[in-house]
Structure formats: structure tokens, C-alpha cells
């Protein structure tokens, strides 16, 4: 049953998205109250994602090394160059550009594994690579933002609320997930918690979408210009990255399943995981940044449904 839920998760998210829009439109007051739950729901979502990452798995580098190099090249060399080129077509609004950089520079480490499997890619190698992708983006992303956005734009960020939200929403769930996996070696009851956690990603992702989107519905009406500005950028990114990923895959002589995994990693982004970073922005800029990031999520889900059918035929 859990596998069926994961296979149909994109459709499930679209249904939840539609419900969130309807709820946010007709129940403005109650939907706005949902915002106070966003940090808690994000923390649960990130725990559910981290709990699926094999932090203590032994890796066979002889088998995976070429794939890891290709993955690094795509996500931390090719993607930044593509994003930098695309962002030049955007308005110079700092919050808008910062949100686009945030969401497009961070590779996905969670549901990309499921979509890779649905697209007949090597989901096992993708799963093994997720701890490295997570650690690398935590290290590299601040430098990328400083290089691309500039110190003036970063100065807009209020670091105290960011650090608070980062600790509670990101570090604490990560610590709990790693601790539980470590304790699996010694305590069998902990295994039940880990097994239960395997059910969390899809429901918590759906809940997160609902809690974030519903309060934004009325505000989106005032952000049509910004939304229409980023949609072509997101679509261009999603179209360009698979082509470049195939080129990198063939440069590293990857097998077809690994090549497909590289394609999905190249265009699938860590959208909801970077949302806590928007809390560092001034309140007047937070809504715009969150809306821009959510727009990417919607665009991506549409193309995930297309690519899980197209990629196996193409490669």
C-alpha cells in the first residue's frame, strides 16, 4: 500500500494543491491561521525525508564512484551555470531572485528517489548518494548565494530568525533521524519507529503543501507578475537540465539506469526543504519568496509526471 501511495504521489499532491486553493479562496480567515503551523509541519516533513536517507550504509565506491562524480558535476557545476544564465532574464527584485536561486541551486534528496524508480532509473544509487548531496549542498549553497546574489542582497536576511528556524526545522529533525538510525543497531523497538517513519514522506508533503499554499492564495493575486516571470525560467530549467544531464552521463560512460537517475537528479529540486531559509527574510519579502518557491514545486510536479514516462523511452 505504501508503494502504491508513493507511485501516485504526484497526482495526490495535485489534488491537495487544488483543495488548498479552494480552501484558501473561500476560507480566508481560517486559512491565514495555518501559517503558524508551517514551522512545525516543515520540521516533521524534513524528519520524514531524513529518516529515509541511509546515513550509516556502507558504500561500495568502486561501483558508485563514476556516478557520484557525474552527480557532483551536474548539481554543483552545470546547474549553477544554467541557473545564473536563466536568472539574468528575471526582474532585479532581490527577494524574487534570491528565492529562485535558493530553490534551483539545491538538489532534491527525498522524493527524487521515488521518481527515479518510476522512471526506471537506478534508485538504489540515488538513495546511496543522498547523504552526500545533502552534506554538499549545506556546505556549497551559502557560497553560491554569496557569489550569485551578492552581499547586498544577503544583507536583507535577518540571521537571528534564520538560525532559530534552521536549528528547529532542519538541524533537530536531522539529529533525530540520524540518532534513530544509529540506535537501530542496539534497540529493536526503535526499528518500529523507523518503519513507521517510512509512511510519513507522502502524507507530510501533502500536509505541507496544504498548510503553505492555503494562506498564500489571496496574496498570489497580488503577485501575478512575479509568478508569470518565473514560470518560463522554471520550465526552461526543467527542459535544459535533462539534456545536459544525458551529456554528462555519457561523458562518464554511465549505464542507462544510472543515466536516468542523473536526469531526475538534475532537474528535481529541494523546494520545500529550502523554505525555512525564507524565514530569514523581512516579513514583507517572505510571502513573495515562499510563493516563488511553491511555483517551482507545481511546475516540477507537472514535468515529473511527463518524465517518468518519457525518460525510459528517450534514454
Amino acid at each position: 500500500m505504501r508503494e502504491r501511495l508513493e507511485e501516485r504521489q504526484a497526482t495526490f499532491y495535485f489534488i491537495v494543491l487544488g483543495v488548498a486553493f479552494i480552501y484558501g479562496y473561500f476560507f480566508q480567515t481560517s486559512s491565514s491561521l495555518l501559517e503558524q503551523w508551517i514551522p512545525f509541519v516543515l520540521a516533521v516533513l524534513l524528519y520524514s525525508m531524513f529518516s529515509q536517507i541511509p546515513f550509516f550504509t556502507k558504500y561500495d565506491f568502486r561501483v558508485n564512484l563514476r556516478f557520484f562524480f557525474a552527480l557532483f558535476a551536474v548539481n554543483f557545476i552545470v546547474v549553477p551555470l544554467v541557473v545564473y544564465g536563466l536568472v539574468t532574464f528575471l526582474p532585479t527584485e532581490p527577494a524574487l531572485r534570491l528565492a529562485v536561486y535558493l530553490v534551483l541551486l539545491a538538489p532534491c534528496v527525498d522524493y527524487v528517489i521515488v521518481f527515479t524508480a518510476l522512471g526506471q532509473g537506478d534508485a538504489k544509487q540515488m538513495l546511496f548518494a543522498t547523504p552526500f548531496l545533502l552534506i554538499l549542498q549545506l556546505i556549497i549553497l551559502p557560497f553560491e548565494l554569496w557569489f550569485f546574489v551578492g552581499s547586498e542582497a544577503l544583507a536583507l536576511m535577518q540571521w537571528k530568525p534564520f538560525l532559530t528556524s534552521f536549528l528547529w526545522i532542519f538541524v533537530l529533525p536531522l539529529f533525530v533521524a540520524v540518532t534513530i538510525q544509529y540506535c537501530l543497531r542496539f534497540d529493536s523497538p526503535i526499528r518500529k519507529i523507523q518503519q513507521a517513519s517510512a509512511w510519513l514522506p507522502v502524507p507530510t508533503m501533502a500536509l505541507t503543501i496544504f498548510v503553505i499554499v492555503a494562506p498564500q492564495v489571496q496574496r498570489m493575486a497580488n503577485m501575478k507578475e512575479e509568478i508569470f516571470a518565473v514560470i518560463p525560467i522554471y520550465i526552461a530549467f526543467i527542459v535544459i537540465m535533462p539534456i545536459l544531464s544525458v551529456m554528462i552521463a555519457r561523458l562518464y560512460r554511465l549505464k542507462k539506469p544510472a543515466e536516468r537517475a542523473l536526469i531526475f537528479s538534475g532537474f528535481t529540486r529541494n523546494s520545500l526543504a529550502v523554505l525555512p531559509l525564507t524565514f530569514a527574510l523581512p516579513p514583507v519579502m517572505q510571502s513573495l519568496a515562499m510563493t516563488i518557491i511553491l511555483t517551482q514545486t507545481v511546475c516540477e510536479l507537472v514535468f515529473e509526471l511527463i518524465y517518468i514516462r518519457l525518460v525510459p523511452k528517450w534514454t
Side-chain angles (χ1 to χ4, degrees), residues 52-90:
Q52 307 311 305
I53 297 175
F55 290 104
F56 296 100
T57 299
K58 293 182 179 179
Y59 298 93
D60 186 349
F61 289 98
R62 293 170 300 175
V63 175
N64 297 321
L65 197 57
R66 278 191 300 172
F67 177 72
F68 287 172
F69 278 130
L71 204 61
F72 179 87
V74 165
N75 283 294
F76 300 107
I77 298 175
V78 176
V79 165
L81 293 173
V82 171
V83 173
Y84 181 73
L86 291 174
V87 169
T88 58
F89 295 99
L90 286 175

Short mmCIF file of all heavy atoms in Angstrom, two decimals, residues 52-90:
data_model
loop_
_atom_site.label_atom_id
_atom_site.label_comp_id
_atom_site.label_asym_id
_atom_site.label_seq_id
_atom_site.Cartn_x
_atom_site.Cartn_y
_atom_site.Cartn_z
N GLN A 52 14.61 8.59 5.69
CA GLN A 52 14.73 7.64 4.58
C GLN A 52 16.13 7.62 3.98
O GLN A 52 16.43 6.83 3.10
CB GLN A 52 13.72 8.00 3.48
CG GLN A 52 12.28 8.13 3.96
CD GLN A 52 11.82 6.97 4.80
OE1 GLN A 52 11.89 5.82 4.36
NE2 GLN A 52 11.33 7.25 6.00
N ILE A 53 17.01 8.52 4.44
CA ILE A 53 18.37 8.58 3.92
C ILE A 53 19.26 7.61 4.70
O ILE A 53 19.30 7.66 5.93
CB ILE A 53 18.94 10.02 4.03
CG1 ILE A 53 18.11 10.98 3.18
CG2 ILE A 53 20.40 10.06 3.60
CD1 ILE A 53 18.52 12.43 3.32
N PRO A 54 19.96 6.71 4.04
CA PRO A 54 20.79 5.71 4.73
C PRO A 54 22.12 6.30 5.20
O PRO A 54 23.14 6.16 4.53
CB PRO A 54 20.99 4.63 3.67
CG PRO A 54 20.96 5.38 2.37
CD PRO A 54 19.99 6.52 2.57
N PHE A 55 22.12 6.95 6.36
CA PHE A 55 23.32 7.64 6.83
C PHE A 55 24.43 6.67 7.23
O PHE A 55 25.60 7.05 7.24
CB PHE A 55 22.97 8.54 8.03
CG PHE A 55 22.15 9.74 7.66
CD1 PHE A 55 20.79 9.78 7.94
CD2 PHE A 55 22.72 10.82 7.03
CE1 PHE A 55 20.02 10.88 7.61
CE2 PHE A 55 21.97 11.93 6.69
CZ PHE A 55 20.62 11.96 6.97
N PHE A 56 24.08 5.45 7.61
CA PHE A 56 25.10 4.52 8.10
C PHE A 56 25.28 3.32 7.18
O PHE A 56 25.74 2.26 7.60
CB PHE A 56 24.72 4.05 9.51
CG PHE A 56 24.71 5.17 10.52
CD1 PHE A 56 23.51 5.76 10.89
CD2 PHE A 56 25.88 5.65 11.07
CE1 PHE A 56 23.49 6.80 11.80
CE2 PHE A 56 25.88 6.69 11.99
CZ PHE A 56 24.68 7.27 12.36
N THR A 57 24.93 3.50 5.92
CA THR A 57 25.12 2.44 4.94
C THR A 57 26.57 2.41 4.48
O THR A 57 27.18 3.46 4.27
CB THR A 57 24.19 2.64 3.73
OG1 THR A 57 22.83 2.62 4.18
CG2 THR A 57 24.40 1.56 2.68
N LYS A 58 27.09 1.22 4.31
CA LYS A 58 28.45 1.08 3.76
C LYS A 58 28.38 1.19 2.24
O LYS A 58 27.56 0.56 1.60
CB LYS A 58 29.05 -0.27 4.16
CG LYS A 58 29.31 -0.40 5.66
CD LYS A 58 29.93 -1.74 5.99
CE LYS A 58 30.22 -1.85 7.49
NZ LYS A 58 30.81 -3.17 7.84
N TYR A 59 29.23 2.02 1.70
CA TYR A 59 29.19 2.30 0.26
C TYR A 59 30.31 1.57 -0.47
O TYR A 59 31.44 1.49 0.01
CB TYR A 59 29.34 3.82 0.01
CG TYR A 59 28.21 4.61 0.62
CD1 TYR A 59 28.34 5.14 1.90
CD2 TYR A 59 27.03 4.81 -0.08
CE1 TYR A 59 27.30 5.86 2.47
CE2 TYR A 59 25.99 5.53 0.48
CZ TYR A 59 26.14 6.05 1.75
OH TYR A 59 25.11 6.75 2.31
N ASP A 60 29.96 1.05 -1.63
CA ASP A 60 30.95 0.43 -2.50
C ASP A 60 31.40 1.48 -3.51
O ASP A 60 30.79 1.66 -4.57
CB ASP A 60 30.33 -0.78 -3.23
CG ASP A 60 31.38 -1.55 -4.03
OD1 ASP A 60 32.50 -1.04 -4.18
OD2 ASP A 60 31.05 -2.64 -4.50
N PHE A 61 32.46 2.21 -3.20
CA PHE A 61 32.91 3.30 -4.04
C PHE A 61 33.42 2.81 -5.39
O PHE A 61 33.41 3.56 -6.36
CB PHE A 61 34.00 4.12 -3.33
CG PHE A 61 33.47 4.93 -2.19
CD1 PHE A 61 33.56 4.48 -0.88
CD2 PHE A 61 32.87 6.15 -2.44
CE1 PHE A 61 33.07 5.23 0.16
CE2 PHE A 61 32.37 6.91 -1.40
CZ PHE A 61 32.47 6.46 -0.09
N ARG A 62 33.85 1.56 -5.45
CA ARG A 62 34.31 1.04 -6.74
C ARG A 62 33.17 0.99 -7.74
O ARG A 62 33.37 1.15 -8.93
CB ARG A 62 34.90 -0.35 -6.54
CG ARG A 62 36.19 -0.37 -5.74
CD ARG A 62 36.56 -1.79 -5.39
NE ARG A 62 35.51 -2.45 -4.61
CZ ARG A 62 35.54 -3.73 -4.25
NH1 ARG A 62 36.56 -4.49 -4.60
NH2 ARG A 62 34.57 -4.25 -3.53
N VAL A 63 31.96 0.76 -7.23
CA VAL A 63 30.79 0.67 -8.10
C VAL A 63 30.22 2.05 -8.39
O VAL A 63 29.83 2.38 -9.51
CB VAL A 63 29.71 -0.23 -7.46
CG1 VAL A 63 28.43 -0.23 -8.30
CG2 VAL A 63 30.23 -1.64 -7.27
N ASN A 64 30.17 2.93 -7.38
CA ASN A 64 29.41 4.17 -7.46
C ASN A 64 30.23 5.41 -7.78
O ASN A 64 29.66 6.48 -7.96
CB ASN A 64 28.68 4.41 -6.12
CG ASN A 64 27.67 3.33 -5.82
OD1 ASN A 64 26.99 2.87 -6.73
ND2 ASN A 64 27.57 2.92 -4.58
N LEU A 65 31.54 5.30 -7.83
CA LEU A 65 32.38 6.49 -7.91
C LEU A 65 32.08 7.32 -9.15
O LEU A 65 31.96 8.55 -9.07
CB LEU A 65 33.85 6.09 -7.88
CG LEU A 65 34.84 7.21 -7.57
CD1 LEU A 65 34.51 7.88 -6.25
CD2 LEU A 65 36.26 6.68 -7.54
N ARG A 66 31.95 6.69 -10.31
CA ARG A 66 31.68 7.45 -11.53
C ARG A 66 30.34 8.15 -11.45
O ARG A 66 30.18 9.29 -11.90
CB ARG A 66 31.72 6.53 -12.75
CG ARG A 66 33.14 6.27 -13.27
CD ARG A 66 33.13 5.59 -14.61
NE ARG A 66 32.46 4.29 -14.53
CZ ARG A 66 32.15 3.53 -15.58
NH1 ARG A 66 32.45 3.94 -16.79
NH2 ARG A 66 31.56 2.38 -15.44
N PHE A 67 29.35 7.47 -10.88
CA PHE A 67 28.03 8.08 -10.73
C PHE A 67 28.09 9.28 -9.79
O PHE A 67 27.49 10.31 -10.06
CB PHE A 67 27.03 7.05 -10.20
CG PHE A 67 25.66 7.61 -9.95
CD1 PHE A 67 24.82 7.95 -11.01
CD2 PHE A 67 25.20 7.81 -8.66
CE1 PHE A 67 23.55 8.47 -10.78
CE2 PHE A 67 23.94 8.33 -8.42
CZ PHE A 67 23.12 8.66 -9.49
N PHE A 68 28.85 9.15 -8.69
CA PHE A 68 28.96 10.26 -7.74
C PHE A 68 29.65 11.46 -8.38
O PHE A 68 29.25 12.61 -8.17
CB PHE A 68 29.74 9.82 -6.50
CG PHE A 68 28.98 8.91 -5.59
CD1 PHE A 68 29.60 8.30 -4.52
CD2 PHE A 68 27.63 8.66 -5.79
CE1 PHE A 68 28.90 7.46 -3.67
CE2 PHE A 68 26.92 7.82 -4.96
CZ PHE A 68 27.57 7.21 -3.89
N PHE A 69 30.69 11.22 -9.18
CA PHE A 69 31.36 12.32 -9.87
C PHE A 69 30.41 13.01 -10.85
O PHE A 69 30.39 14.23 -10.97
CB PHE A 69 32.60 11.82 -10.59
CG PHE A 69 33.81 11.68 -9.71
CD1 PHE A 69 34.56 10.52 -9.70
CD2 PHE A 69 34.19 12.73 -8.88
CE1 PHE A 69 35.67 10.39 -8.88
CE2 PHE A 69 35.31 12.61 -8.05
CZ PHE A 69 36.05 11.44 -8.05
N ALA A 70 29.65 12.20 -11.59
CA ALA A 70 28.69 12.76 -12.54
C ALA A 70 27.60 13.55 -11.81
O ALA A 70 27.19 14.63 -12.26
CB ALA A 70 28.05 11.63 -13.36
N LEU A 71 27.16 13.03 -10.67
CA LEU A 71 26.14 13.70 -9.87
C LEU A 71 26.65 15.05 -9.37
O LEU A 71 25.93 16.05 -9.39
CB LEU A 71 25.75 12.81 -8.69
CG LEU A 71 24.38 12.99 -8.05
CD1 LEU A 71 23.28 12.72 -9.06
CD2 LEU A 71 24.24 12.05 -6.86
N PHE A 72 27.90 15.07 -8.94
CA PHE A 72 28.52 16.32 -8.48
C PHE A 72 28.62 17.31 -9.63
O PHE A 72 28.31 18.50 -9.48
CB PHE A 72 29.90 16.05 -7.90
CG PHE A 72 30.61 17.29 -7.43
CD1 PHE A 72 30.42 17.77 -6.15
CD2 PHE A 72 31.46 17.98 -8.29
CE1 PHE A 72 31.06 18.92 -5.72
CE2 PHE A 72 32.11 19.14 -7.87
CZ PHE A 72 31.91 19.61 -6.58
N ALA A 73 29.06 16.84 -10.78
CA ALA A 73 29.22 17.72 -11.93
C ALA A 73 27.90 18.35 -12.35
O ALA A 73 27.83 19.55 -12.63
CB ALA A 73 29.83 16.94 -13.10
N VAL A 74 26.85 17.55 -12.36
CA VAL A 74 25.54 18.06 -12.77
C VAL A 74 25.00 19.08 -11.77
O VAL A 74 24.60 20.19 -12.13
CB VAL A 74 24.53 16.90 -12.95
CG1 VAL A 74 23.10 17.42 -13.01
CG2 VAL A 74 24.84 16.12 -14.21
N ASN A 75 25.01 18.72 -10.48
CA ASN A 75 24.32 19.54 -9.48
C ASN A 75 25.13 20.73 -8.97
O ASN A 75 24.54 21.73 -8.53
CB ASN A 75 23.91 18.66 -8.29
CG ASN A 75 22.70 17.83 -8.59
OD1 ASN A 75 21.60 18.33 -8.79
ND2 ASN A 75 22.88 16.51 -8.66
N PHE A 76 26.46 20.65 -9.04
CA PHE A 76 27.26 21.71 -8.44
C PHE A 76 28.18 22.44 -9.42
O PHE A 76 28.89 23.35 -9.03
CB PHE A 76 28.07 21.15 -7.27
CG PHE A 76 27.20 20.56 -6.20
CD1 PHE A 76 27.12 19.19 -6.03
CD2 PHE A 76 26.44 21.38 -5.39
CE1 PHE A 76 26.30 18.64 -5.04
CE2 PHE A 76 25.62 20.84 -4.40
CZ PHE A 76 25.54 19.47 -4.23
N ILE A 77 28.13 22.02 -10.69
CA ILE A 77 28.86 22.75 -11.73
C ILE A 77 27.90 23.20 -12.83
O ILE A 77 27.79 24.39 -13.14
CB ILE A 77 30.01 21.90 -12.32
CG1 ILE A 77 31.03 21.56 -11.23
CG2 ILE A 77 30.68 22.65 -13.47
CD1 ILE A 77 32.13 20.62 -11.69
N VAL A 78 27.19 22.24 -13.42
CA VAL A 78 26.29 22.56 -14.53
C VAL A 78 25.09 23.38 -14.06
O VAL A 78 24.76 24.41 -14.65
CB VAL A 78 25.83 21.27 -15.24
CG1 VAL A 78 24.81 21.60 -16.34
CG2 VAL A 78 27.02 20.52 -15.83
N VAL A 79 24.42 22.92 -13.00
CA VAL A 79 23.22 23.62 -12.52
C VAL A 79 23.50 25.09 -12.18
O VAL A 79 22.76 25.98 -12.63
CB VAL A 79 22.59 22.88 -11.32
CG1 VAL A 79 21.60 23.79 -10.58
CG2 VAL A 79 21.88 21.62 -11.79
N PRO A 80 24.54 25.42 -11.40
CA PRO A 80 24.79 26.84 -11.11
C PRO A 80 25.00 27.68 -12.37
O PRO A 80 24.53 28.83 -12.43
CB PRO A 80 26.06 26.80 -10.25
CG PRO A 80 26.03 25.47 -9.60
CD PRO A 80 25.45 24.55 -10.63
N LEU A 81 25.68 27.14 -13.36
CA LEU A 81 25.91 27.88 -14.60
C LEU A 81 24.59 28.13 -15.34
O LEU A 81 24.33 29.24 -15.83
CB LEU A 81 26.89 27.13 -15.51
CG LEU A 81 28.32 27.03 -14.98
CD1 LEU A 81 29.15 26.12 -15.89
CD2 LEU A 81 28.97 28.41 -14.88
N VAL A 82 23.74 27.09 -15.40
CA VAL A 82 22.45 27.22 -16.07
C VAL A 82 21.57 28.22 -15.32
O VAL A 82 20.93 29.10 -15.94
CB VAL A 82 21.75 25.85 -16.17
CG1 VAL A 82 20.30 26.01 -16.66
CG2 VAL A 82 22.52 24.93 -17.10
N VAL A 83 21.52 28.10 -14.01
CA VAL A 83 20.68 28.99 -13.20
C VAL A 83 21.14 30.44 -13.34
O VAL A 83 20.31 31.35 -13.49
CB VAL A 83 20.70 28.57 -11.72
CG1 VAL A 83 19.97 29.58 -10.84
CG2 VAL A 83 20.06 27.19 -11.56
N TYR A 84 22.44 30.66 -13.31
CA TYR A 84 22.95 32.02 -13.44
C TYR A 84 22.54 32.62 -14.78
O TYR A 84 22.15 33.80 -14.86
CB TYR A 84 24.48 32.01 -13.32
CG TYR A 84 25.09 33.39 -13.42
CD1 TYR A 84 24.98 34.30 -12.37
CD2 TYR A 84 25.76 33.79 -14.58
CE1 TYR A 84 25.53 35.57 -12.47
CE2 TYR A 84 26.32 35.05 -14.68
CZ TYR A 84 26.20 35.94 -13.63
OH TYR A 84 26.73 37.20 -13.73
N GLY A 85 22.60 31.82 -15.83
CA GLY A 85 22.19 32.31 -17.15
C GLY A 85 20.71 32.62 -17.21
O GLY A 85 20.30 33.64 -17.78
N LEU A 86 19.88 31.76 -16.61
CA LEU A 86 18.44 31.96 -16.67
C LEU A 86 17.98 33.14 -15.83
O LEU A 86 17.06 33.87 -16.21
CB LEU A 86 17.73 30.68 -16.20
CG LEU A 86 17.84 29.46 -17.12
CD1 LEU A 86 17.21 28.24 -16.47
CD2 LEU A 86 17.18 29.74 -18.47
N VAL A 87 18.61 33.33 -14.68
CA VAL A 87 18.17 34.39 -13.76
C VAL A 87 18.41 35.78 -14.35
O VAL A 87 17.73 36.74 -13.97
CB VAL A 87 18.89 34.24 -12.40
CG1 VAL A 87 18.68 35.47 -11.51
CG2 VAL A 87 18.34 33.01 -11.67
N THR A 88 19.31 35.90 -15.31
CA THR A 88 19.55 37.20 -15.94
C THR A 88 18.30 37.72 -16.67
O THR A 88 18.19 38.91 -16.95
CB THR A 88 20.71 37.14 -16.95
OG1 THR A 88 20.43 36.14 -17.94
CG2 THR A 88 22.01 36.79 -16.25
N PHE A 89 17.34 36.82 -16.96
CA PHE A 89 16.11 37.22 -17.64
C PHE A 89 15.02 37.64 -16.66
O PHE A 89 13.91 37.99 -17.08
CB PHE A 89 15.59 36.07 -18.52
CG PHE A 89 16.52 35.72 -19.66
CD1 PHE A 89 17.40 34.64 -19.55
CD2 PHE A 89 16.53 36.48 -20.82
CE1 PHE A 89 18.26 34.33 -20.60
CE2 PHE A 89 17.38 36.17 -21.87
CZ PHE A 89 18.24 35.09 -21.75
N LEU A 90 15.31 37.58 -15.36
CA LEU A 90 14.31 37.93 -14.34
C LEU A 90 14.40 39.40 -13.96
O LEU A 90 15.46 40.03 -14.14
CB LEU A 90 14.52 37.07 -13.09
CG LEU A 90 14.09 35.61 -13.16
CD1 LEU A 90 14.50 34.90 -11.87
CD2 LEU A 90 12.59 35.49 -13.37
#
